[in-house]
Amino acid sequence: MWTLVGAGLKTLGQSQRPMSSVLPSNCDWIKESAVKFDPKNNSLTTSSGKQIQYDYLVVAAGLQLNYDQVKGLTEALQSDPQVCSNYDPKYVTKTFPALEAIQSGNAIFTFPNTPVKCGGAAQKIVYLGEEIFRNKGTRDKIDVLYNTSQSVIFGVEKYAATLRNIVQQRHIKVNYRHNLVEVKPDSREAVFQLLDSEKGETTTFSYSFLHAVPPMSAPDEVRSSPLVNADGWVDVHKHTLQHTKFHNVFALGDCTSLPTSKTAAAVASQFGVLKHNLSAVIKGKQSTHSYDGYSSCPLVTGRNKCVLAEFDYDGHPMETFPVDQSKERWSMYQMKAHVMPQLYFHGLLKGIYEGPAMFRKVMHLGMGEKKH
């Protein structure tokens, strides 16, 4: 929802609930963070030094935002009103005023050279920002630049084709393989590493507006534990979500090694599989339910338009509705802006919503979705 907060369409308060209001009543809430994991001895240590033994462990630690890995970025976010980031509650409320304030020059939007949560969010704000400029009458004086470390605009070609047409029609310049490495707030310059350069060359852009997406990783406490693989992600089987070494450990969400987009939609589908497999293991049985890599990205392209991308591990579209979801639709925007937050708070957090598989079967008359 923070994309919509950054575009002035929602408030930060609408995205929040007190933790006490969403936890199950029969859950013991330990109000400390886990700082050390010892899966060989089935224990973890909390921030106060307390050791907790467990029979089974589910790791759902999310991602850590590493703003400090980009030189000068934290300083710029704190000192320059024209530098913002929708990924952090401290900075998301800066975005809309900054979009309103820019009158001319470069409006730069970035995507880092790491896995990120909600990968589409980096470009959703590009489209919403460009629309704001048009509505204000300043678009002809502003160059809209999307500088991404990736080599494609989106990983699934069906939806990428739509997005390439959109950026072309709206004169948004996409600079591929550009990774933000430094921000100079005093001179309002952003330095990008050219990832395809063998000599490690950089290029510098002046900015009048900068939306920065930080590098991300699993939290340090997780990365320093025996739970992770060589790349620093909790190492689970891609289909069962069970740990590859410790049979009584499961994980889901952004901190895992699962090779799919890190989204809430993915978490919902992973949860259904994890629930069944963890229950089976507790009963002494094998994990039999299989996660297919389903993930979804509602690519908001305007204040009333959205491309609803849904896909699996192999990049095959897995569309819920019996329409071509690669087209910009008003209905999909309503789904993103108004239905999905309710699904999150009242479905996913309550353990009721396990992803759209059942809806997909109904929408496609039980025959399975059409392969595109």
Side-chain angles (χ1 to χ4, degrees):
M1 193 189 290
W2 287 351
T3 292
L4 303 182
V5 174
L9 300 172
K10 296 271 189 180
T11 66
L12 183 60
Q14 288 176 292
S15 73
Q16 300 171 329
R17 299 286 189 279
M19 181 67 83
S20 59
S21 72
V22 298
L23 281 179
S25 58
N26 60 348
C27 170
D28 293 326
W29 181 12
I30 300 172
K31 299 181 182 180
E32 299 181 49
S33 56
V35 298
K36 186 177 181 181
F37 297 87
D38 183 8
K40 290 183 179 180
N41 294 302
N42 298 328
S43 74
L44 58 82
T45 304
T46 69
S47 52
S48 70
K50 180 181 179 181
Q51 278 198 335
I52 298 176
Q53 297 293 130
Y54 61 80
D55 297 305
Y56 301 92
L57 177 68
V58 176
V59 184
L63 289 186
Q64 176 177 285
L65 305 179
N66 298 315
Y67 286 101
D68 58 343
Q69 290 184 6
V70 178
K71 184 179 179 180
L73 178 54
T74 300
E75 176 192 347
L77 285 163
Q78 294 171 349
S79 64
D80 188 343
Q82 289 304 105
V83 178
C84 54
S85 179
N86 285 350
Y87 278 82
D88 194 296
K90 297 190 298 289
Y91 308 128
V92 63
T93 53
K94 294 181 64 182
T95 304
F96 185 59
L99 289 169
E100 291 271 280
I102 179 176
Q103 297 298 315
S104 63
N106 289 334
I108 303 176
F109 303 79
T110 75
F111 188 103
N113 193 29
T114 67
V116 301
K117 53 183 173 181
C118 193
Q123 60 182 289
K124 296 176 199 179
I125 194 60
V126 180
Y127 307 127
L128 289 163
E130 192 274 339
E131 185 179 60
I132 289 171
F133 303 152
R134 277 189 283 118
N135 292 340
K136 285 178 52 194
T138 56
R139 180 64 179 90
D140 59 338
K141 299 178 182 178
I142 298 173
D143 291 320
V144 180
L145 309 175
Y146 179 45
N147 288 7
T148 172
S149 65
Q150 298 190 313
S151 58
V152 293
I153 196 165
F154 196 75
V156 180
E157 175 56 28
K158 177 178 182 179
Y159 309 110
T162 298
L163 298 173
R164 286 195 299 267
N165 287 334
I166 291 171
V167 297
Q168 182 178 10
Q169 292 166 7
R170 293 167 64 170
H171 302 289
I172 296 169
K173 172 64 174 174
V174 181
N175 293 310
Y176 295 104
R177 305 295 287 160
H178 280 55
N179 180 41
L180 181 66
V181 294
E182 183 177 1
V183 180
K184 301 177 180 179
D186 293 340
S187 57
R188 283 195 167 168
E189 291 179 305
V191 182
F192 291 84
Q193 175 190 10
L194 301 178
L195 294 174
D196 288 336
S197 168
E198 294 181 359
K199 298 180 181 180
E201 296 174 319
T202 62
T203 184
T204 300
F205 294 77
S206 62
Y207 68 83
S208 298
F209 168 94
L210 177 64
H211 178 269
V213 179
M216 301 182 199
S217 67
D220 290 339
E221 295 84 357
V222 174
R223 283 196 295 167
S224 62
S225 78
L227 297 171
V228 300
N229 61 17
D231 295 322
W233 305 104
V234 180
D235 198 9
V236 294
H237 189 283
K238 65 184 285 189
H239 294 301
T240 66
L241 309 186
Q242 191 171 12
H243 199 276
T244 58
K245 296 178 182 177
F246 307 104
H247 80 281
N248 62 337
V249 176
F250 287 77
L252 78 168
D254 298 352
C255 69
T256 68
S257 60
L258 299 172
T260 194
S261 293
K262 299 178 183 297
T263 67
V267 169
S269 292
Q270 292 164 20
F271 157 69
V273 173
L274 187 149
K275 180 178 72 172
H276 289 288
N277 287 342
L278 176 58
S279 296
V281 169
I282 290 173
K283 295 174 184 176
K285 300 178 181 179
Q286 296 294 313
S287 297
T288 57
H289 280 64
S290 181
Y291 172 56
D292 56 14
Y294 171 83
S295 191
S296 174
C297 186
L299 294 154
V300 177
T301 56
R303 290 187 167 221
N304 280 295
K305 294 183 292 185
C306 179
V307 172
L308 183 56
E310 296 180 283
F311 45 90
D312 62 13
Y313 274 138
D314 298 321
H316 296 143
M318 292 183 66
E319 298 184 346
T320 299
F321 300 95
V323 296
D324 183 357
Q325 291 178 200
S326 69
K327 295 183 178 180
E328 295 176 286
R329 296 182 184 274
W330 174 87
S331 58
M332 299 305 170
Y333 176 84
Q334 302 307 313
M335 184 86 170
K336 153 69 178 173
H338 306 300
V339 177
M340 289 182 181
Q342 299 305 313
L343 273 178
Y344 177 79
F345 284 116
H346 302 294
L348 177 59
L349 292 190
K350 292 183 182 297
I352 299 169
Y353 182 62
E354 300 179 12
M358 183 179 298
F359 298 104
R360 188 181 305 118
K361 289 180 180 179
V362 172
M363 290 288 183
H364 294 271
L365 303 177
M367 299 173 64
E369 72 276 13
K370 179 181 177 183
K371 292 294 182 182
H372 298 277

